[in-house]
Amino acid sequence: MSVSVVFMGTPQFAVPILQALIDDEAYDVKAVVTQPDRRVGRKHELRATPVKELAVKYGIEVLQPEKLSGSPEMQRVIDLAPDFEITAAFGQFLPVKMLEAAKIAAINVHGSLLPKYRGGAPIQYSIINGDQETGVTIMYMVKAMDAGDIIAQKAIPITKQDDSGTMFEKLSLLGRDLLMETLPKMIAGDVQPVKQDPEKVVFSPNITSEQERIDYRLPADRIDDKVRGLRPFPIGNMIIDGLQTKIYDVTPLDEKTDLAPGQVVRVEKHALILAAGDRTTYRINRLKPKGKREMDITSYLNGHQNLKQGVQAITDEE
């Protein structure tokens, strides 16, 4: 007899996890709960979430509450009384009444090594903060955000080539594999949950527009960390040559400088070298000035002949 599941998730991160549950005959996905369709892009086209698209493909019931608490969708999950409620980047809190409806457990696949990085942007913060590793945690869901006991964890390194996009993909697959290893143990009662250490809790709230600004006074490697942490979305920015400019890619360099952060160290035909904090330097590779297209640095320099050695290229104000 298969184990019944209600799955809750929204972005691409959750798709491989749901796919694994669908593919395994041991589990019966009774329903999927995901965020409502949203209008996106310049044409404001209504778009389903990646999780909904997968559920529809397999004819699975889809529930899309704007807010779960007190909703008919919440009552539907309670009425289904699944063995497991499994969430992965769902995007809403689950009411206690709903958590208690799971016969075996309500659990979450979270993209960090809890208790570090509770909240909505754990992958971004792990890169922005220059961490050398991150991972996935399977935990029990409780009323407080990401505060439940840890059932299983697995770590993975963060390389200097990784950005949030690559780590989302890696952690999604890691979470899928860890979940599928953990569920049979939970069904058999063969798990030893560990409480989270409150002294080690770190929060990772959703990235605000203010946090998208990159502090040009940081050392070059920390600027690189923030660029990669905010890529491919929402993309960090600086005020370069008086214009808000999105920064897609930079390369920290070994050379040192006595110039102030934000000043031009030198301009080459295919390179703009800038000063950063702690006498470090870096090269900008791809960027997008406000109102312009994304471009490589060669194309950018063709239209910014005023950027010469010693010029304060980056400022705080437009």
Side-chain angles (χ1 to χ4, degrees), residues 259-273:
L259 292 173
Q263 288 187 338
V264 176
V265 175
R266 69 178 181 279
V267 178
E268 300 171 358
K269 185 176 180 180
H270 302 292
L272 174 63
I273 301 1

Side-chain angles (χ1 to χ4, degrees), residues 34-151:
T34 190
Q35 296 280 50
D37 298 354
R38 304 293 188 196
R39 296 193 180 279
V40 297
R42 292 182 178 179
K43 296 182 179 179
H44 300 287
E45 295 175 341
L46 198 62
R47 183 175 299 175
T49 71
V51 164
K52 178 181 178 179
E53 290 178 349
L54 182 62
V56 168
K57 176 182 175 181
Y58 286 93
I60 299 169
E61 179 180 358
V62 177
L63 307 172
Q64 294 182 274
E66 194 68 52
K67 184 180 179 183
L68 264 172
S69 184
S71 68
E73 292 87 354
M74 182 187 84
Q75 188 58 50
R76 174 60 177 155
V77 173
I78 292 171
D79 292 343
L80 285 170
D83 295 310
F84 283 100
E85 293 171 12
I86 300 173
T87 69
F90 172 47
Q92 293 190 39
F93 282 106
L94 273 60
V96 173
K97 186 177 179 182
M98 189 171 171
L99 296 176
E100 293 173 345
K103 292 177 183 176
I104 298 177
I107 60 176
N108 181 37
V109 183
H110 184 75
S112 82
L113 297 173
L114 290 170
K116 194 172 188 180
Y117 301 133
R118 293 181 183 178
I123 298 172
Q124 290 92 331
Y125 278 90
S126 67
I127 298 172
I128 289 170
N129 291 338
D131 294 357
Q132 293 186 340
E133 70 171 10
T134 184
V136 169
T137 301
I138 311 290
M139 64 172 179
Y140 288 108
M141 283 190 285
V142 295
K143 187 176 181 179
M145 181 177 62
D146 300 331
D149 291 354
I150 295 168
I151 304 164

Side-chain angles (χ1 to χ4, degrees), residues 14-297:
V15 168
I17 300 168
L18 174 57
Q19 184 72 64
L21 291 166
I22 292 169
D23 290 343
D24 194 323
E25 293 182 357
Y27 306 101
D28 179 13
V29 181
K30 295 291 188 181
V32 162
V33 187
T34 190
Q35 296 280 50
D37 298 354
R38 304 293 188 196
R39 296 193 180 279
V40 297
R42 292 182 178 179
K43 296 182 179 179
H44 300 287
E45 295 175 341
L46 198 62
R47 183 175 299 175
T49 71
V51 164
K52 178 181 178 179
E53 290 178 349
L54 182 62
V56 168
K57 176 182 175 181
Y58 286 93
I60 299 169
E61 179 180 358
V62 177
L63 307 172
Q64 294 182 274
E66 194 68 52
K67 184 180 179 183
L68 264 172
S69 184
S71 68
E73 292 87 354
M74 182 187 84
Q75 188 58 50
R76 174 60 177 155
V77 173
I78 292 171
D79 292 343
L80 285 170
D83 295 310
F84 283 100
E85 293 171 12
I86 300 173
T87 69
F90 172 47
Q92 293 190 39
F93 282 106
L94 273 60
V96 173
K97 186 177 179 182
M98 189 171 171
L99 296 176
E100 293 173 345
K103 292 177 183 176
I104 298 177
I107 60 176
N108 181 37
V109 183
H110 184 75
S112 82
L113 297 173
L114 290 170
K116 194 172 188 180
Y117 301 133
R118 293 181 183 178
I123 298 172
Q124 290 92 331
Y125 278 90
S126 67
I127 298 172
I128 289 170
N129 291 338
D131 294 357
Q132 293 186 340
E133 70 171 10
T134 184
V136 169
T137 301
I138 311 290
M139 64 172 179
Y140 288 108
M141 283 190 285
V142 295
K143 187 176 181 179
M145 181 177 62
D146 300 331
D149 291 354
I150 295 168
I151 304 164
Q153 276 188 335
K154 188 168 285 189
I156 189 172
I158 301 173
T159 74
K160 287 297 184 181
Q161 287 70 49
D162 280 313
D163 61 17
S164 288
T166 63
M167 290 311 300
F168 264 91
E169 293 175 9
K170 291 179 182 180
L171 291 175
S172 175
L173 299 179
L174 188 70
R176 174 199 65 189
D177 295 345
L178 185 59
L179 176 69
M180 301 312 285
E181 291 172 13
T182 303
L183 285 174
K185 297 176 184 178
M186 295 186 70
I187 294 166
D190 186 24
V191 292
Q192 291 81 40
V194 176
K195 291 191 178 300
Q196 295 188 40
D197 184 346
E199 298 295 320
K200 296 181 179 178
V201 171
V202 177
F203 289 99
S204 59
N206 290 333
I207 303 292
T208 65
S209 57
E210 289 78 14
Q211 289 172 301
E212 293 169 23
R213 180 62 52 84
I214 300 167
D215 185 352
Y216 63 90
R217 301 172 187 85
L218 291 170
D221 60 345
R222 295 303 309 278
I223 290 174
D224 178 45
D225 290 336
K226 187 151 190 182
V227 169
R228 292 182 295 107
L230 296 175
R231 188 179 72 215
F233 182 83
I235 301 297
N237 65 77
M238 295 175 169
I239 306 299
I240 303 181
D241 202 15
L243 196 64
Q244 180 171 298
T245 303
K246 291 187 175 184
I247 309 298
Y248 288 82
D249 186 53
V250 303
T251 301
L253 304 174
D254 291 333
E255 66 182 279
K256 298 292 184 179
T257 183
D258 291 323
L259 292 173
Q263 288 187 338
V264 176
V265 175
R266 69 178 181 279
V267 178
E268 300 171 358
K269 185 176 180 180
H270 302 292
L272 174 63
I273 301 1
L274 295 164
D278 291 348
R279 301 184 63 240
T280 60
T281 61
Y282 63 102
R283 182 177 70 239
I284 294 181
N285 302 314
R286 295 197 66 82
L287 69 177
K288 180 186 179 301
K290 190 175 182 179
K292 305 287 185 179
R293 61 176 176 84
E294 180 186 344
M295 63 186 74
D296 60 30
I297 197 64

